[in-house]
Amino acid sequence: MRDFWEETENKKTRKKLNKKKISIILITATILIFTISISIIYMNNKEVRAWIDKNIFQKEKVQNNLPNIEIEETDNSNIYAFNRYIGILNKNNFEIYNSTGKKENTLTLEITKPIFNSNGRYLAVAEEKGQKLYLISDKEVLWEKSIEGNVSQISINKNGYIAVTIVDTSYKTVVAMYNSQGEHLFNWYLKSTRVVATAISDNNKYLAIAYVDTSGTTVQSNIEIMSIEQGKTNSEESIKKAYKGENGELITNIKYQEKDKLICMYTNKITLIKTDETVETIQEYKDKKVSFAAIDLSNASITVEEKSSGIFTADSVVNIINSENKSTSLYTAESVTKEIYTNSNIIALNLGSEVEFINTSGWLVKKYIAEQEITSIVLSNSIAGIVYRDKIEIINL
């Protein structure tokens, strides 16, 4: 009899457990189906997506409702966003603020007209047409240098290696290479051509130099890729590969992206130099109404094309091409873009009194609505600043 009652109790317990398990499975399945359904609707229904972005994800931000930094002299201040900070250079003082608007540090930089360039936690600052050069990591100065000649531009990789383009010497252009400790590695001399841009690979192995030769009857754009290691001992023999653009093509920028792919932007197209040294055209836009193009991203290139949406209106269609797999993402802003800003995987579209921040997958990250025309934006990989006459409003991305 005892065994009978024990078996009966076990059966009841098993039934309860089975009912509980079934209930959990049903609830989980319901939540999963609901999540998938909402995701599909979010991806395919523009009105629903806009409502969810605004009311659920809180992506819409409005002027005067954000952390801010008060400023007094906009005309004399040089403002730049890097890593997780916004820096303000004024009268040789470089004040660094965090994402809440709190001042973190003040550095002394002997610079009045700065050239900024950043990558990850590193920020390089140089005096335009001057000699001073600084490397900042996070919130501290790592080193400073005095350059022979006048600095015209700088580029930096994620490890703190810096290429400095120098003019007004006995050569047309000199490119000086420094490592993250401030050690001068070598100089590269160009006698009669003008350097347009430089780029350093993330593995510290290669320096790419884009330059334009205007001495002939047509413009000739060239790219040379140098071995940094060989450049330390013999810069003349350090050229790994040289590329010539087609006659009349004007190169405007180059950028090493992830996995050491070199993206090259011309006035009419964007090309990719792969690690196997072959060249592939990513985008051609000579026959399109492209208002902006950019390659200063981690793993993508973009073009912004105006398309009519009415008699007096036009949309901005952002065409984003992944540099790795060549997949295309489209994002449409229902207004004409005034300016674009790019950094890492973030694209900012200045639409006048609104800014839409999107990622390189084509999704809205944040939307900012102002009460007036927006004239200046600073952007890093994780923070943006909307610059007004008396303050900077901070948006965390």
Side-chain angles (χ1 to χ4, degrees), residues 220-244:
Q220 178 61 59
S221 295
N222 302 280
I223 299 168
E224 290 184 345
I225 298 176
M226 303 174 59
S227 165
I228 292 175
E229 189 61 37
Q230 286 182 272
K232 295 177 187 177
T233 54
N234 189 339
S235 61
E236 294 297 322
E237 296 181 4
S238 63
I239 297 297
K240 179 175 177 283
K241 191 73 176 179
Y243 300 87
K244 281 192 173 184

Side-chain angles (χ1 to χ4, degrees), residues 169-301:
T169 68
S170 56
Y171 291 87
K172 183 80 172 179
T173 315
V174 178
V175 178
M177 189 75 209
Y178 294 88
N179 65 16
S180 57
Q181 286 75 47
E183 178 187 359
H184 177 254
L185 303 180
F186 61 84
N187 283 347
W188 180 248
Y189 301 94
L190 296 98
K191 294 181 179 179
S192 59
T193 52
R194 180 176 62 86
V195 170
V196 174
T198 58
I200 308 161
S201 63
D202 284 345
N203 60 10
N204 305 333
K205 288 185 177 181
Y206 305 114
L207 166 67
I209 301 174
Y211 61 92
V212 176
D213 188 350
T214 56
S215 60
T217 55
T218 59
V219 172
Q220 178 61 59
S221 295
N222 302 280
I223 299 168
E224 290 184 345
I225 298 176
M226 303 174 59
S227 165
I228 292 175
E229 189 61 37
Q230 286 182 272
K232 295 177 187 177
T233 54
N234 189 339
S235 61
E236 294 297 322
E237 296 181 4
S238 63
I239 297 297
K240 179 175 177 283
K241 191 73 176 179
Y243 300 87
K244 281 192 173 184
E246 296 179 16
N247 286 339
E249 285 186 339
L250 182 62
I251 192 163
T252 58
N253 197 12
I254 57 174
K255 165 76 173 176
Y256 268 111
Q257 295 188 349
E258 291 175 358
K259 298 183 180 178
D260 300 313
K261 302 180 296 293
L262 184 65
I263 305 293
C264 311
M265 187 167 75
Y266 296 81
T267 52
N268 63 338
K269 66 179 181 181
I270 296 172
T271 64
L272 166 66
I273 298 177
K274 302 188 220 177
T275 51
D276 64 3
E277 300 181 349
T278 59
V279 182
E280 180 181 357
T281 298
I282 301 293
Q283 298 196 53
E284 283 191 276
Y285 42 86
K286 59 184 177 182
D287 297 324
K288 297 179 181 179
K289 194 178 180 181
V290 170
S291 49
F292 299 98
I295 60 172
D296 285 321
L297 293 156
S298 295
N299 198 33
S301 60

Side-chain angles (χ1 to χ4, degrees), residues 46-95:
K46 194 172 183 179
E47 287 75 22
V48 171
R49 183 165 64 249
W51 188 90
I52 292 174
D53 282 343
K54 180 180 178 180
N55 297 287
I56 305 298
F57 295 146
Q58 302 292 306
K59 291 184 179 182
E60 190 172 292
K61 305 298 177 183
V62 180
Q63 183 180 348
N64 298 321
N65 286 283
L66 290 168
N68 67 81
I69 304 165
E70 292 185 0
I71 52 178
E72 295 180 359
E73 302 177 60
T74 311
D75 293 340
N76 298 318
S77 297
N78 295 277
I79 302 161
Y80 190 78
F82 66 102
N83 199 13
R84 296 173 288 115
Y85 307 105
I86 289 177
I88 303 173
L89 179 63
N90 190 359
K91 297 178 181 178
N92 293 344
N93 290 320
F94 188 59
E95 298 177 337

Side-chain angles (χ1 to χ4, degrees), residues 339-358:
E339 289 179 292
I340 65 166
Y341 304 81
T342 57
N343 194 304
S344 189
N345 69 336
I346 298 293
I347 303 152
L349 308 173
N350 182 353
L351 306 174
S353 59
E354 293 183 4
V355 183
E356 293 185 10
F357 298 91
I358 63 175

Side-chain angles (χ1 to χ4, degrees), residues 103-148:
K103 187 191 295 186
E104 293 275 345
N105 202 4
T106 300
L107 307 176
T108 300
L109 307 182
E110 295 178 18
I111 288 177
T112 54
K113 193 176 180 183
I115 304 171
F116 293 106
N117 195 266
S118 64
N119 199 326
R121 66 188 180 94
Y122 289 104
L123 168 65
V125 189
E127 179 75 51
E128 185 179 353
K129 298 297 183 180
Q131 289 77 44
K132 278 292 185 180
L133 171 66
Y134 295 84
L135 177 63
I136 296 168
S137 176
D138 200 25
K139 298 172 289 184
E140 302 293 340
V141 174
L142 288 187
W143 52 261
E144 63 178 276
K145 296 286 180 184
S146 290
I147 306 297
E148 292 184 11

Side-chain angles (χ1 to χ4, degrees), residues 350-380:
N350 182 353
L351 306 174
S353 59
E354 293 183 4
V355 183
E356 293 185 10
F357 298 91
I358 63 175
N359 60 26
T360 48
S361 297
W363 293 104
L364 181 71
V365 176
K366 291 284 170 65
K367 182 177 182 178
Y368 177 83
I369 300 174
E371 298 172 357
Q372 63 206 76
E373 193 81 4
I374 298 165
T375 59
S376 184
I377 301 168
V378 291
L379 178 72
S380 79

